[in-house]
């Protein structure tokens, strides 16, 4: 008797569960046909929380402002009718598996006709996989393009990536260091994450041609807090150019230990660990730390300065705001593709997106290549106070390169 | 300890019916609904498999992310480098996870209580640290399964549904078996169980191996769903930590607890509050605390207590304190029915 | 790997010991594994950051305010929440403190964002040279504090009436209760003191490294490791365990490369658990521990 009751309860519960889920999923049922004045839905899944949570808000701001600007001008032209854009934002919690589920949800539940991406290969690769498997066009800013390309040997079909090329980006450290006098000896501190490994190899590879010698390299697991014996070795190696590719908390610890042990290289690069908020993490030692950037007022962009200035107060004069600009441009590229496609059919948008050629955006002039990448030139920016000043290329510089890095230099 | 055959058959029929409903779903519901259900079923699988050792067996393992990762990586490696199909890959992943668990059980099961928990977390952290540096499995880059090698949406859903139902069937069979009774006896009082001739380590070992087999199977489906995998997402503590929360909220050691817990945590908390990530984190913490303070038997415990109250005196002797049953110990009524 | 590196690692072990001491005390006296311990360490760092934003003082001085506040909050949490779970089983307090971990992580994310923040002090960014060895000043400070706190705690436990009562309530709560010792009060004071020590560790940690909301779990694992290595519940053992972790990390990092440090530390932890599940130095006064079952 008890058995029947429990079996029945089991069935009832599971049915209720299925029904409840069904009810929640079946809301709107509109297709993506053209001709109407319904909003065109763009979806994005961003790291608003979790370890990459600092990157979510500026990207979201860029997407929202671009959508507002386009809607303010009447919307996006789809086959002769102006339709408003609608942006749907979901939190990926900096977790690749959540990226996958939220990206699918954007397509299935929110009926997004195209997707906008976020940062770093671990998040952007699964995001791009969803785009390819669901056959919905997707474009990402701020994800190094070679690593992204390398993750899909067969070539991406619906996913696109606009950012720097790592080969050029790793040369920036040397070219910018050429601006000051050093002994051209390099110490590398890289972590075991994908970009740490890949870029570490590129720095080693490219140093000789750029006239530099890597005299010391150490590899660290993420979460390393005690770097002291390796700092000592780097100091003993006499390297005057120091490049690190470790996450922000590790970079803060590394900088403090360099200062404590009196290692004061002429140029010091915390790279991904020093992108945003480095002075909060490393205090006064952040002064003079240099990392790569991706936008300058004079890099050939159209209208970038206005977007930059409008966000400077909130995201700081530096890479946070450069991320806003880059994200803003993704909406421009997508809107342009939708207009050229003349419909919101994902395949038509995908085709038009792939044909993007010489489009003027707030970020730079953007041309998408046959490998679905658009490469934006890398720059070098240096922490000076609470701001990041562009110091290389020289003709686009907004300030002078301080060397040796003042935060690490010995006092008095 | 006789196994009530008829009751078991009825239970199995119930699960079969659920499976049939799930298998028929693709194409009959919206894609979005299907995706939500797919993720929910993955979580049911992970939570239920953990429940076997953590709830029924009372061994709070923090090492289960190793089995999720082993299952997922094996599928990817077999498909990419071995050229096998995904189905063989799934089985291979589950077997490898079980083998890993069997090997690990020798050192880990010498530890009990909190020491087991700490030891298992050390194993998980070592595995993660190792996977990040292992060149053969793509180091921190991880692996990318070619899209054409993964099953299509409908097949993938059916596979995940079958795996999730399998974990539930496994647990419901175990709690009714004499093996399950021995396992719970060991959980409740290892000394007394040993005095009655139960080999505590042996029972725990097979529970761990079975739990790992099922976890590996689910991990394999995670990889097929994810397509591109890397160490932090497959070997991260997230899996076991979330499973633990789900099982606690649903009801530890019960068959329906993990199902209910997965629904509450994944659907009600994660999805409904996805635009309020901070509220979500706070709420899941508060909920966990509230459950453990006010209803240590979880949602299922609450329901059983209510049912027992309705049923009244007739079953009083059996239903005595079902709420506290899961936590304070006695054999866990409501699942075993002796 | 040089002598200098090993000395630096050993000194840094002082910080590890500070992180672990509270965990060990709570475990030894209350038999509770506080999964929120890492969050308490972070709470110390964040609280100090807030104080230094208001008044610019040395981070260590903020302990005058931070210590009592954290003590009070923790003692209340213990009294109002955890105490009622103690009679149950192993997993009840474990799960509850896990809930506290989630809540803390959420609160810190909300209040401070996910980017790392750190405390700045001259001793956090300078080195000292003793006998020709250059080591970080922050490690010297951490070690000195650890020795002071460990010795102080040990003296309180062994030389005061309060300590005697505490030890009694740990060894045999039932008998201690009948002798008139207010066990819930003992537990609340222990939990508060453990949290205050954790907060002190957090201030040093935030000055040496940085604080971010996701560091709670790694700090907890670090604490665990030290506790197990030094012997659960043993106060001097935490110092031994901390130094051991510091030296092993440095030695393995220097010999094989830093990538192998965490693997080696976890492996050592596992091996120690197996061969000496009670740690290296376990005090006799704790009596036999049966952690699987809490005493009634």
């Amino acid at each position: 008797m008890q058995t029947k009751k429990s079996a029945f309860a089991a069935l009832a519960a599971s049915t209720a569960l299925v029904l409840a889920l069904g009810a929640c999923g079946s809301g709107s049922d509109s297709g993506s046909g053209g001709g109407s004045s319904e909003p065109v839905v763009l979806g994005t899944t961003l790291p608003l929380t979790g370890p990459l949570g600092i990157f979510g808000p500026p990207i979201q701001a860029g997407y929202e402002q671009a959508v507002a600007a386009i809607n303010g001008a009447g919307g996006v032209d789809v086959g002769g009718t102006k339709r408003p854009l609608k942006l749907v934002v979901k939190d990926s919690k900096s977790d690749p598996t959540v990226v996958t589920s939220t990206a699918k949800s954007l397509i299935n539940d929110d009926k997004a006709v195209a997707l906008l991406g976020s940062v770093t290969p671990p998040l952007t690769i699964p995001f791009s996989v969803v785009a390819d498997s669901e056959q919905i066009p997707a474009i990402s800013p701020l994800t190094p393009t070679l690593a992204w390309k390398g993750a899909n040997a067969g070539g991406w079909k619906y996913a696109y990536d606009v950012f720097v090329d790592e080969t050029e980006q790793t040369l920036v450290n040397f070219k910018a260091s050429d601006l000051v006098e050093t002994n051209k000896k390099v110490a590398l501190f890289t972590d075991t994450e994908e970009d740490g490994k890949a870029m570490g190899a590129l720095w080693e590879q490219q140093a000789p041609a750029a006239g530099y010698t890597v005299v010391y390299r150490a590899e660290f697991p993420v979460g390393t807090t005690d770097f002291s014996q390796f700092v000592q070795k780097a100091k003993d190696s006499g390297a005057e150019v120091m490049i690190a590719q470790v996450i922000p908390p590790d970079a803060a610890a590394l900088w403090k230990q360099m200062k404590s042990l009196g290692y004061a290289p002429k140029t010091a690069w915390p790279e991904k660990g020093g992108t945003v908020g480095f002075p909060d993490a490393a205090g006064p030692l952040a002064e003079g730390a240099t990392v790569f950037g991706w936008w300058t007022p004079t890099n050939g962009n159209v209208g970038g300065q206005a977007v930059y200035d409008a966000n400077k107060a909130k995201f700081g004069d530096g890479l946070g705001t450069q991320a806003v600009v880059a994200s803003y441009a993704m909406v421009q590229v997508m809107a342009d593709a939708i207009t050229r496609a003349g419909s919101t059919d994902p395949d038509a948008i995908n085709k038009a997106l792939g044909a993007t050629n010489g489009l003027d955006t707030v970020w730079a002039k953007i041309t998408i290549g046959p490998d679905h990448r658009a490469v934006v030139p890398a720059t070098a920016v240096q922490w000076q106070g609470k701001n990041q000043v562009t110091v290389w290329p020289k003709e686009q510089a907004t300030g002078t390169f301080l060397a040796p890095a003042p935060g690490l230099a010995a006092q008095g | 300890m006789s196994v009530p055959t008829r009751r078991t058959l009825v239970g199995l029929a119930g699960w079969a019916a659920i499976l049939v409903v799930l298998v028929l779903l693709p194409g009959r519901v919206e894609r979005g609904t299907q995706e939500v259900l797919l993720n929910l079923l993955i979580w049911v699988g992970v939570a239920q498999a953990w429940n076997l050792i953590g709830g029924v067996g009372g061994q709070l393992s923090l090492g289960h992310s190793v089995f999720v990762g082993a299952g997922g990586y094996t599928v990817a490696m077999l498909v990419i480098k071995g050229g096998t199909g995904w189905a063989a890959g799934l089985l291979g992943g589950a077997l490898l996870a079980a083998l890993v668990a069997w090997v690990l059980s020798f050192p880990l099961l010498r530890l009990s209580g909190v020491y087991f928990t700490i030891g298992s977390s050390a194993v998980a952290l070592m595995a993660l640290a190792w996977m990040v540096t292992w060149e053969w499995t793509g180091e921190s880059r991880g692996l990318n399964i070619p899209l054409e090698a993964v099953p299509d949406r409908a097949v993938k859903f059916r596979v995940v549904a079958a795996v999730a139902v399998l974990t539930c069937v496994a647990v419901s069979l175990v709690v009714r078996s004499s093996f399950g009774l021995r396992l719970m006896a060991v959980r409740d009082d290892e000394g007394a169980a040993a005095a009655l001739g139960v080999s505590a380590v042996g029972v725990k070992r097979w529970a761990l191996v079975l739990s790992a087999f099922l976890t590996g199977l689910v991990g394999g489906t995670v990889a097929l769903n994810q397509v591109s995998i890397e160490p932090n997402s497959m070997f991260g503590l997230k899996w076991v930590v979330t499973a633990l929360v789900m099982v606690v909220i649903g009801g530890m050691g019960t068959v329906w607890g993990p199902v209910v817990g997965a629904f509450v945590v994944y659907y009600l908390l994660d999805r409904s509050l996805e635009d309020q990530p901070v509220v979500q984190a706070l709420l899941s913490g508060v909920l966990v605390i509230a459950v453990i303070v006010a209803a240590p038997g979880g949602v299922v415990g609450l329901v059983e207590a209510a049912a027992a109250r309705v049923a009244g005196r007739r079953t009083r002797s059996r239903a005595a304190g079902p709420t506290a049953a899961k936590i304070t110990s006695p054999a866990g009524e409501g699942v075993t029915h002796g | 790997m040089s002598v200098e590196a090993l000395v630096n690692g050993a000194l840094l072990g002082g910080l590890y010991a500070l992180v672990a001491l509270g965990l060990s005390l709570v475990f030894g006296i209350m038999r509770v594994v506080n999964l929120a311990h890492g969050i308490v360490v972070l709470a110390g760092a964040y609280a100090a950051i807030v104080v230094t934003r208001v008044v610019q003082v040395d981070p260590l001085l903020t302990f005058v305010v931070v210590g009592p506040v954290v003590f009070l909050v923790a003692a209340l949490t213990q009294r109002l929440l955890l105490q009622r779970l103690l009679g149950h089983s192993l997993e009840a307090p474990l799960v509850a403190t896990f809930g506290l971990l989630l809540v803390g992580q959420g609160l810190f994310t909300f209040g401070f964002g996910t980017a790392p923040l750190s405390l700045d002090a001259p001793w956090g960014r300078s080195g000292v040279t003793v006998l020709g060895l250059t080591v970080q000043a922050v490690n010297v400070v951490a070690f000195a504090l650890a020795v002071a706190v460990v010795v102080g705690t040990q003296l309180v436990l062994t030389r005061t009436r309060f300590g005697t009562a505490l030890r009694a309530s740990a060894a045999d709560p039932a008998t201690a209760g009948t002798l008139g010792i207010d066990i819930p009060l003992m537990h609340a004071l222990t939990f508060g003191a453990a949290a205050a020590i954790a907060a002190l560790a957090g201030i040093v940690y935030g000055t040496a490294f940085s604080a971010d909301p996701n560091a709670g779990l790694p700090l907890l694992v670090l604490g665990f490791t030290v506790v197990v290595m030094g012997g659960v519940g043993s106060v001097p053992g935490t110092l031994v365990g901390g130094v051991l972790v510091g030296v092993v990390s440095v030695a393995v990092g220097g010999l094989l490369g830093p990538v192998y440090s965490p693997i080696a530390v976890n492996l050592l932890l596992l091996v120690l658990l197996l061969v000496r599940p009670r740690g290296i130095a376990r005090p006799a006064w704790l009596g036999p521990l049966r952690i699987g079952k809490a005493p009634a």
Side-chain angles (χ1 to χ4, degrees):
Chain A
M1 178 190 69
Q2 177 114 23
T3 321
K4 276 184 193 152
K5 217 165 64 189
S6 70
F8 174 75
L11 266 181
S14 64
T15 317
L17 184 77
V18 168
L19 286 179
L21 289 166
C24 299
S26 60
S28 63
D29 211 352
S30 62
S32 53
S36 64
S37 60
E38 270 189 51
V40 176
V41 180
L42 301 180
T44 182
T45 169
L46 301 174
L48 297 172
T49 53
L52 295 167
I54 36 171
F55 292 106
I59 302 176
Q60 183 176 4
Y63 290 160
E64 280 172 354
Q65 289 169 26
V67 165
I70 289 171
N71 288 347
V76 62
D77 184 329
V78 186
T81 10
K82 287 258 186 182
R83 290 172 59 183
L85 290 174
K86 184 184 159 204
L87 180 73
V88 182
V89 180
K90 295 193 184 206
D91 182 18
S92 71
K93 301 181 183 173
S94 310
D95 178 342
T97 54
V98 179
V99 168
T100 301
S101 60
T102 46
K104 285 182 181 169
S105 163
L106 287 165
I107 297 168
N108 295 318
D109 303 330
D110 303 293
K111 311 291 171 203
V113 297
L115 300 179
L116 303 167
S118 64
V119 281
T120 74
L123 298 187
T124 303
I125 290 165
F127 171 79
S128 301
V129 166
V130 172
D132 269 29
S133 62
E134 304 288 316
Q135 306 186 334
I136 292 285
I139 192 162
S140 304
L142 307 170
T143 304
T145 59
L146 275 186
W148 174 81
K149 184 187 166 187
N152 186 342
W156 295 103
K157 308 278 189 303
Y158 285 79
Y160 299 83
D161 187 26
V162 186
F163 202 45
V164 298
D165 174 298
E166 291 94 313
T167 338
E168 288 175 26
Q169 180 212 329
T170 46
L171 267 181
V172 167
N173 307 74
F174 304 128
K175 288 184 179 166
S177 295
D178 280 343
L179 292 175
V180 297
E181 198 152 304
T182 69
N183 62 5
K184 312 242 170 191
K185 288 184 180 170
V186 183
L188 286 178
F189 285 70
T190 55
D191 69 17
T192 50
E193 281 195 332
E194 178 174 4
D195 47 9
K197 295 229 170 201
M199 289 177 50
L202 281 170
W203 277 309
E204 289 210 74
Q205 221 174 72
Q206 306 217 73
Y212 286 76
T213 326
V214 175
V215 291
Y216 182 72
R217 179 174 178 190
E219 269 198 306
F220 302 89
V222 171
T224 299
T225 47
D226 182 20
F227 293 93
S228 49
Q229 63 173 322
F230 310 102
V231 167
Q232 198 68 53
K233 283 182 191 160
K235 185 184 171 193
D236 294 344
S237 77
E240 289 183 350
V241 175
M242 189 273 184
I243 307 173
Q245 179 74 351
V246 295
I247 63 168
D250 301 3
L254 175 55
W255 249 243
K256 289 185 173 191
Q257 287 159 34
M258 284 163 70
K259 178 75 176 182
S260 302
L261 298 173
Y263 178 38
K266 296 269 171 64
T267 69
W269 305 74
E271 290 300 352
K272 70 173 167 181
T275 310
V276 199
F278 199 47
D280 294 327
L285 314 188
E287 184 72 4
T290 314
V291 299
F292 85 93
W294 50 84
W295 179 87
T296 70
T298 51
N299 70 348
N301 70 75
V302 175
Q305 189 72 52
V307 176
Y308 190 87
D309 289 343
N311 288 283
K312 217 161 55 174
K314 181 158 184 207
F315 296 105
D317 188 356
L319 295 182
T321 306
Q322 292 194 12
V324 179
V325 173
S327 312
Y328 192 109
M330 292 304 94
V331 179
Q332 292 181 304
V333 172
M334 196 56 91
D336 170 70
I338 292 172
T339 299
R340 279 186 292 111
S343 95
T344 55
D345 172 58
D347 281 302
I349 300 176
N350 184 41
K351 221 170 151 195
L353 201 54
T356 303
N357 191 357
L359 180 70
D360 283 322
T361 72
V362 293
W363 189 357
K365 204 180 258 302
I366 287 176
T367 298
I368 290 176
D371 56 3
H372 284 208
R373 294 191 304 152
V375 174
V376 174
T379 69
V381 299
Q382 185 174 40
W383 283 104
Q384 297 183 4
K386 290 278 173 196
N387 304 328
Q388 284 162 299
V389 193
T390 301
V391 292
W392 185 91
K394 219 175 174 184
E395 43 309 341
Q396 295 174 25
T398 56
T400 43
F401 196 5
L402 305 179
L408 293 173
Q411 284 110 329
Chain B
M1 303 245 162
S2 67
V3 179
T5 331
R6 189 163 152 267
R7 178 182 300 163
T8 310
L9 283 178
V10 173
L12 282 180
W15 286 111
I18 293 172
L19 182 59
V20 168
V21 172
L22 288 172
V23 164
L24 290 176
L25 275 184
R28 291 187 171 75
V29 291
E30 286 224 9
R31 265 192 194 190
T33 314
Q34 189 180 317
E35 284 298 334
V36 171
L37 208 48
L38 177 99
N39 289 312
L40 180 63
L41 288 167
I42 287 177
W43 278 118
V44 167
V46 176
Q48 189 69 278
W50 186 85
N51 184 37
L52 185 58
I53 186 75
V56 182
Q59 306 299 309
L60 295 192
S61 158
L62 283 182
H64 267 51
S65 49
V66 173
F67 310 132
V68 175
Y73 263 77
T74 308
V75 172
M77 290 296 281
L78 282 175
V79 169
I80 297 169
K81 304 206 172 165
T84 64
W86 56 265
L90 278 181
L91 189 64
L95 287 173
L96 185 77
L99 181 68
V100 169
W102 185 74
V103 172
L104 285 177
S105 74
F106 288 92
L108 281 183
L109 290 178
R110 289 187 55 189
L111 308 170
S112 63
V114 172
Y115 292 109
F116 173 81
T117 304
I118 299 172
S120 62
S121 73
V123 168
L125 292 168
M126 259 192 301
L128 177 58
W130 173 250
M131 289 308 291
V132 165
T133 57
W134 199 11
E135 233 175 298
W136 194 49
T137 58
E139 299 169 316
S140 46
R141 278 189 319 282
L143 299 166
N144 298 288
I145 308 173
L147 267 182
E148 52 280 9
V150 295
D152 70 26
R153 200 192 316 277
V155 175
K156 200 164 63 192
F157 180 84
R158 288 177 182 129
V159 170
V160 170
V163 168
V165 170
L166 178 68
T167 59
C168 294
V169 169
V171 171
S172 68
L173 288 181
V174 163
V175 296
R176 289 173 185 193
S177 68
S178 60
F179 169 72
L181 292 178
R182 287 202 300 273
L183 182 61
M184 286 183 279
V186 169
R187 171 191 71 188
D188 297 334
D189 192 337
E190 199 165 320
L196 291 170
V198 176
S199 154
V201 171
V203 171
K204 287 194 269 186
R205 170 167 305 135
W206 290 112
L208 181 67
V209 168
L210 180 57
S211 171
F213 179 87
L214 295 170
T215 309
L217 208 52
V218 184
T221 65
V222 170
L224 289 178
N225 189 43
Q226 194 66 16
V227 179
S228 90
I229 58 172
E230 44 85 44
N232 287 306
S233 60
M234 294 304 290
F235 282 84
L237 282 180
K238 171 193 92 170
W239 292 108
V240 60
V241 159
T242 313
L244 190 151
V245 173
M246 286 172 169
V247 173
V248 166
I249 289 179
M252 289 184 82
T254 65
V255 177
W256 281 96
V259 181
V260 174
F263 179 75
V264 171
V265 173
Y266 172 71
Y267 191 74
L268 297 184
L269 279 178
D270 261 31
R271 259 190 63 87
S272 312
L273 291 171
E274 63 190 359
D275 51 344
Q276 297 287 342
V278 174
V279 178
Q280 190 186 310
L282 287 177
L283 211 59
S284 49
V286 170
L287 200 62
V288 166
I289 297 170
V291 164
I292 209 71
V293 170
V299 177
V300 168
L302 276 182
V303 172
E304 275 172 5
R309 219 165 293 139
V310 172
R313 282 150 209 103
R314 210 155 35 91
T315 50
R316 192 194 324 182
S317 58
R318 273 221 220 148
T323 318
K326 297 299 112 30
I327 292 300
T328 48
S329 77
E333 349 268 328
V335 285
T336 57
H337 305 297
Chain C
M1 165 198 32
S2 58
V3 177
E4 198 172 63
L6 286 175
V7 170
N8 220 351
L11 291 174
L12 181 59
L15 176 51
Y16 299 161
L18 270 186
V19 168
L21 184 56
L23 197 64
S24 183
L25 279 178
V26 169
F27 196 13
I29 291 170
M30 295 161 58
R31 275 132 210 215
V32 166
V33 179
N34 179 14
L35 292 183
H37 187 75
I39 286 295
V40 184
V41 174
L42 287 179
Y46 278 123
I49 287 169
V50 171
V51 174
T52 51
R53 278 177 187 169
V54 182
V55 272
Q56 290 213 331
V57 291
D58 188 279
L60 271 185
L61 272 182
T62 65
F63 186 71
V64 179
V65 181
V66 172
V69 169
V70 171
F71 176 92
L72 210 63
V73 173
L76 283 175
T77 310
Q78 150 62 25
R79 195 67 194 80
L80 301 176
L81 175 68
L82 296 177
Q83 186 64 38
R84 67 176 75 189
L85 298 173
L86 284 182
H88 293 265
S89 62
L90 162 70
E91 60 260 33
L94 196 73
V95 170
T97 54
F98 181 71
L100 290 174
L101 166 77
L102 291 179
V103 170
Q105 205 164 329
L107 283 178
F108 294 151
T109 308
F110 178 70
F112 301 95
T114 51
L117 299 178
S118 75
L119 289 157
D120 184 47
W123 49 273
R125 46 181 152 85
S126 53
V128 285
T129 307
V130 188
L131 303 171
L133 303 174
T134 305
V135 292
Q136 291 157 260
V138 68
N139 292 355
V140 176
V141 171
F143 195 81
L145 279 174
V147 170
V149 174
V150 163
V151 169
T153 310
Q154 183 69 2
L155 286 179
V156 169
L157 276 176
T158 52
R159 300 284 162 85
T160 64
R161 282 182 61 91
F162 171 69
T164 313
L166 257 187
R167 275 154 46 210
S169 63
D172 189 347
T175 315
T178 56
L179 288 175
I181 294 172
D182 183 349
I183 294 198
L185 179 70
M186 289 290 147
H187 286 171
L189 292 176
T190 305
F191 204 75
I197 295 170
L200 179 65
I203 295 174
V204 180
Y205 191 88
T207 313
F209 310 119
S210 60
D212 69 278
N214 300 304
L217 212 52
L219 277 167
L220 172 71
V221 172
L222 172 69
F224 261 156
T225 312
V226 172
V227 168
V228 172
M229 288 199 183
V232 174
S234 159
V235 172
T238 50
L239 202 54
V240 178
V243 170
L244 195 60
V245 172
V247 171
V248 168
S249 302
V250 166
V252 172
L255 293 172
L256 301 175
V259 170
Y260 297 98
S261 288
I263 299 179
V265 169
N266 281 306
L267 197 64
L268 181 64
L269 167 66
L270 204 59
V271 170
L272 272 181
L273 271 175
L274 292 171
V275 296
R276 285 214 63 122
R278 286 175 180 173
I280 291 168
R282 198 184 137 69
W285 56 262
L286 263 172
L289 256 190
R290 285 181 61 222
I291 288 140
K293 284 274 166 294

